[in-house]
């Protein structure tokens, strides 16, 4: 596993405790306020000074990556389960539901998937690996005639994005409501339901530009 930025040397017990406090505090503060929350709030939550935070994590991205590192195994497990499922449609639907379930329970994880370009290192490599797995699941469902043939990875990204506001808006009222909306969307993605699209799919460049625009709009709120 690639080392997390800011962790070049083995830490003593006191430093390790501070490190873990900072990661847990960051997860809590980012979960409440988003990934752009002030780092000073994280240091206060952890009970350390801001200088201690920067000794452990020289950048915000390093702190985000440390949180993400703890969820990598769960994300990979969801993708692997989909790849192991022989039925293409069941694999595709399970992959989307499993991914959204993890994101619904972790705001930081959800925001990491909207960051573009991802920082060089672990997040970038894992995102690329997960994309390849998603594309394999998508292609197999299409090859089996279950999924509409013109669906692209960019279309899939937009489907996942579209459920983000639903997850946020219903989190305290009906935290499982996103599952209903996902299944409504899935019914529309079945091959027999396909109709000629009104617009072409986004290119990778379009998708990246949309990610940047989404991040900028969130920062301005």
């Amino acid at each position: 596993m690639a080392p997390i930025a800011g962790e070049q040397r083995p830490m003593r017990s006191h430093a390790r405790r501070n490190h873990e406090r900072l990661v847990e505090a960051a997860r809590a503060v980012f979960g409440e306020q988003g990934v752009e929350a002030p780092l000073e709030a994280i240091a206060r939550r952890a009970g350390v000074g801001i200088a201690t935070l920067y000794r452990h994590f020289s950048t915000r991205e390093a702190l985000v990556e440390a949180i993400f590192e703890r969820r990598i195994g769960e994300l990979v497990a969801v993708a692997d389960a989909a790849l192991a499922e022989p039925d293409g449609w069941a694999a595709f639907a399970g992959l989307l539901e499993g991914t959204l379930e993890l994101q619904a329970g972790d705001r930081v994880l959800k925001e990491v998937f909207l960051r573009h370009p991802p920082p060089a290192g672990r997040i970038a490599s894992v995102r690329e690996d997960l994309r390849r797995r998603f594309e394999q699941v998508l292609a197999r469902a299409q090859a089996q005639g279950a999924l509409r043939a013109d669906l692209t990875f960019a279309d899939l990204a937009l489907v996942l994005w579209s459920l983000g506001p639903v997850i946020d808006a219903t989190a305290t009222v009906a935290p499982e409501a996103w599952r209903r909306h996902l299944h409504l969307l899935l019914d529309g993605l079945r091959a027999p339901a396909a109709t000629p699209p009104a617009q072409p799919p986004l290119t990778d460049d379009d998708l990246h530009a949309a990610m940047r625009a989404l991040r900028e709009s969130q920062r301005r709120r």
Side-chain angles (χ1 to χ4, degrees):
M1 182 176 289
I4 301 171
E7 292 186 286
Q8 288 78 19
R9 296 177 300 173
M11 290 181 287
R12 295 180 179 179
S13 59
H14 177 70
R16 190 178 302 112
R17 285 195 297 273
N18 281 343
H19 181 92
E20 290 303 319
R21 287 193 192 106
L22 284 163
V23 173
E24 289 307 311
R27 189 166 178 173
V29 171
F30 287 161
E32 294 164 3
Q33 304 178 35
V35 176
E36 302 303 323
L39 297 183
E40 290 80 4
I42 295 168
R44 284 195 300 272
R45 181 75 64 97
V48 301
I50 190 66
T52 298
L53 184 152
Y54 280 116
R55 277 198 300 273
H56 286 268
F57 302 102
S58 58
T59 66
R60 180 183 302 273
E61 296 294 353
L63 190 49
V64 170
E65 186 168 341
I67 299 170
F68 184 62
E69 191 82 8
R70 286 150 172 77
R71 307 305 301 274
I72 287 172
E74 295 168 79
L75 290 163
V76 171
V78 168
D80 283 346
L83 288 170
E85 167 59 56
D87 182 274
W89 180 259
F92 177 73
L95 179 60
L96 266 63
E97 187 155 15
T99 300
L100 285 165
E101 185 171 11
L102 289 176
Q103 294 185 33
D106 191 330
R107 181 176 180 180
V108 178
L109 187 63
K110 181 161 66 69
E111 292 201 26
V112 164
F113 277 85
L114 297 178
R115 298 173 82 85
H116 184 84
R122 186 65 167 159
I123 292 180
S125 64
V126 169
R127 278 171 53 125
E128 284 306 307
D129 181 62
L130 287 172
R131 172 172 177 157
R132 286 191 294 270
R133 294 173 190 228
F134 268 71
E135 288 175 331
Q136 289 174 36
V137 173
L138 188 153
R140 188 175 52 173
Q142 290 172 326
Q144 292 182 7
L147 179 65
R148 57 183 300 153
D150 60 346
L151 191 79
T152 68
F153 178 81
D155 293 323
L156 188 57
L158 293 181
V159 167
L160 292 172
W161 292 2
S162 72
L163 285 158
V166 175
I167 289 171
D168 291 341
T170 61
T172 57
V173 178
E176 299 294 308
W178 63 267
R179 295 183 192 275
R180 172 180 172 82
H181 289 271
L182 171 62
H183 283 270
L184 291 173
L185 283 169
L186 284 171
D187 283 346
L189 295 177
R190 291 181 181 273
T195 59
Q199 296 291 328
L202 298 180
T203 65
D204 271 1
D205 286 345
D206 292 336
L207 182 60
H208 296 163
M211 283 181 170
R212 288 192 292 269
L214 181 59
R215 291 299 305 165
E216 286 304 315
S217 69
Q218 292 176 334
R219 288 194 182 99
R220 289 195 294 268
R221 289 177 186 173

